[in-house]
Amino acid sequence: MDITDIKSYMQSVGQEARTASRLIAKADTAAKNHALHAMANAIRRDELLLLAANAKDLENARAKGLEASMIDRLTLSAKGVVTMVEGLLQIAALADPVGEISGLSYRPSGIQVGKMRVPLGVIGIIYEARPNVTADAAGLCLKAGNAAILRGGSEAIYSNQAIAACVKEGLRLAGLPETAVQVIETTDRAAVGELITMKDFVDVIVPRGGKGLIERIANEARIPVIKHLDGVCHVYIDDQADFDKAVKIADNAKTQRYGTCNTMETLLIHEGIAQRILPPLCKIYFDKGVELRGDAVARSIIPQMHEATEQDWYEEYLAPILSIRIVDGLDQAIDHITKYGSQHTDAIVTENYSRARRFLREVDSSSVMVNTTTRFADGFEYGLGAEIGISTDKIHARGPVGLEGLTSQKFIVLGDGQLRQ
């Protein structure tokens, strides 16, 4: 296939995906699970090849001077290979949502009306770095009965193609069309422009990457988009929090990994506990090289902090930088999250049951947590097997998008000769 003629190449990919989608939609669960197990086995077997391909991508990325956060997302470790394998096996172990019937009930006319879960069709996924997305997306789309067109970033081209070979092997061994999952072979950015406008062949677009990429996709796509723009995540430490628990959670939420969308970017602390908890917490952050930017009250306790600007409260740093604000209570914490948050993931640390319930009810984010780290906002950690992405939209899918989010429902009606009067 000539990949230099981008329009013709993408049209061909789209046509093949549409044809494959009809076959995948009617594939039985056993065949899909066979493919998933075969993909996992191939990835496990080819671990050294995958790591070598990733090393090539990393070498090129460093030569181009890519940011540390991008390098972090691009890096595939031996642990990451194991996680890909586990994700595919977990997807295989999940119940197949396709064909599931719910809400079946009799109407006065004698007909039965219910809903059946069905695939979306062809899903286009556009992502930067993160080569593990290739396996996660392939597995989830397949199990949910969809065909997938995957367009990874140019910085991960070798990693993505190596993983794609394992995916194709799995499909082939299960007797399913290899074109059910296609990884775009060109790094030409024009391919993205074609993909997001091919409404005859693609049903949904899922962008995963930086805010600039997602804004471009959302603005230019002629196809429905499942997305989140950024992850300005908060942890609020209440004055009725367990001290040791709060320190550990606030540390993990920021420093376990810096370059992810579920990493805490702003720490809110009740004024009643600030004098006690800020010094040990800030020592941990300083020891780990985290730059702190605080409001006036926080800086009066820890003078080494930089002054936080208004923009800092909106900022998704994706780096070892943290903004800290002291609040007078739960209401001010919720108001701050409402104004500056991105409806991604927010957490409260408290032993007060009523305040925890209020936080859960009143914070309008796709994941809201009590007494744990925001880093758990992840499809794998939620038991979804993996995730296609995280959605902060309110229609169709919200939060980590797993199998159910990659399906829709249609009404089904069962009759026995009834006629409308």
Side-chain angles (χ1 to χ4, degrees):
M1 188 184 301
D2 180 12
I3 65 173
T4 59
D5 182 346
I6 298 300
K7 189 173 186 65
S8 297
Y9 169 61
M10 292 303 295
Q11 288 286 313
S12 177
V13 167
Q15 289 171 345
E16 290 183 334
R18 178 61 76 199
T19 300
S21 72
R22 298 188 184 99
L23 299 174
I24 294 298
K26 63 182 182 180
D28 61 33
T29 304
K32 292 188 288 188
N33 287 345
H34 183 185
L36 291 166
H37 279 276
M39 290 176 196
N41 290 337
I43 289 173
R44 185 189 291 113
R45 180 199 67 212
D46 289 351
E47 175 183 336
L48 295 180
L49 291 175
L50 300 184
L51 295 178
N54 186 245
K56 199 171 180 180
D57 285 326
L58 288 170
E59 181 182 353
N60 291 338
R62 292 189 181 101
K64 293 176 182 176
L66 295 187
E67 295 180 357
S69 59
M70 180 69 83
I71 297 290
D72 178 59
R73 293 194 294 273
L74 177 59
T75 301
L76 181 64
S77 63
K79 182 180 178 182
V81 174
V82 171
T83 301
M84 280 195 292
V85 170
E86 289 178 349
L88 289 168
L89 296 179
Q90 197 173 89
I91 294 169
L94 294 173
D96 190 341
V98 179
E100 176 187 290
I101 296 174
S102 61
L104 200 62
S105 62
Y106 280 99
R107 302 297 302 145
S109 62
I111 63 172
Q112 286 182 282
V113 179
K115 288 184 176 181
M116 175 181 287
R117 195 159 288 283
V118 295
L120 294 176
V122 177
I123 301 176
I125 299 140
I126 302 161
Y127 52 107
E128 296 173 329
R130 299 192 194 283
N132 64 290
V133 173
T134 303
D136 293 348
L140 284 166
C141 289
L142 171 64
K143 186 65 179 270
N146 301 291
I149 301 173
L150 311 182
R151 204 286 184 178
S154 59
E155 68 282 348
I157 186 67
Y158 295 110
S159 303
N160 290 337
Q161 291 298 332
I163 296 169
C166 297
V167 170
K168 288 181 178 294
E169 179 181 325
L171 290 165
R172 185 173 64 253
L173 291 175
L176 297 174
E178 292 184 30
T179 49
V181 179
Q182 298 177 80
V183 177
I184 300 303
E185 297 176 11
T186 178
T187 59
D188 193 321
R189 292 169 63 88
V192 174
E194 290 296 326
L195 180 59
I196 63 178
T197 56
M198 297 196 308
K199 57 184 180 180
D200 289 339
F201 303 121
V202 182
D203 298 290
V204 177
I205 293 290
V206 181
R208 293 190 62 174
K211 189 173 182 178
L213 169 71
I214 297 172
E215 282 184 325
R216 176 201 167 189
I217 302 305
N219 291 335
E220 298 180 12
R222 298 174 62 191
I223 300 163
V225 178
I226 297 175
K227 69 184 187 307
H228 79 272
L229 282 177
D230 46 18
V232 183
C233 302
H234 301 78
V235 172
Y236 165 56
I237 300 177
D238 187 48
D239 64 340
Q240 294 192 32
D242 177 282
F243 185 90
D244 292 335
K245 191 184 296 181
V247 169
K248 291 176 182 177
I249 290 170
D251 176 20
N252 182 269
K254 184 60 196 178
T255 70
Q256 196 266 339
R257 197 171 177 186
Y258 296 114
T260 57
C261 62
N262 57 15
T263 296
M264 173 182 67
E265 304 291 19
T266 297
L267 175 63
L268 305 173
I269 301 176
H270 192 291
E271 61 186 6
I273 198 175
Q275 289 278 359
R276 181 179 169 218
I277 202 168
L278 256 185
L281 248 183
C282 291
K283 183 180 187 308
I284 292 171
Y285 291 138
F286 285 138
D287 287 348
K288 294 184 177 182
V290 177
E291 177 187 330
L292 300 180
R293 302 178 184 180
D295 67 359
V297 180
R299 286 185 293 111
S300 72
I301 301 171
I302 308 294
Q304 303 97 302
M305 282 190 200
H306 298 289
E307 181 180 358
T309 66
E310 177 71 7
Q311 182 57 38
D312 279 313
W313 308 124
Y314 291 103
E315 202 67 41
E316 182 183 24
Y317 300 113
L318 298 173
I321 305 171
L322 176 67
S323 56
I324 298 177
R325 183 182 180 188
I326 310 304
V327 295
D328 60 17
L330 180 62
D331 286 325
Q332 192 174 38
I334 293 175
D335 287 345
H336 180 101
I337 292 169
T338 300
K339 180 176 181 179
Y340 299 105
S342 59
Q343 298 185 312
H344 192 295
T345 303
D346 300 291
I348 183 174
V349 185
T350 186
E351 299 302 306
N352 184 302
Y353 177 79
S354 297
R355 293 180 187 176
R357 287 293 298 269
R358 273 197 60 201
F359 193 86
L360 289 173
R361 187 174 62 251
E362 296 178 28
V363 172
D364 186 21
S365 296
S366 63
S367 287
V368 186
M369 302 177 166
V370 176
N371 291 334
T372 193
T373 173
T374 57
R375 288 286 291 121
F376 277 125
D378 174 85
F380 183 78
E381 295 291 348
Y382 282 7
L384 305 181
E387 66 181 40
I388 207 77
I390 291 179
S391 170
T392 53
D393 293 333
K394 296 188 180 182
I395 297 176
H396 177 65
R398 198 176 193 200
V401 180
L403 292 179
E404 187 172 300
L406 296 178
T407 61
S408 182
Q409 289 182 306
K410 63 182 178 184
F411 278 100
I412 60 169
V413 180
L414 306 180
D416 188 27
Q418 290 89 346
L419 302 176
R420 186 168 181 175
Q421 302 300 315

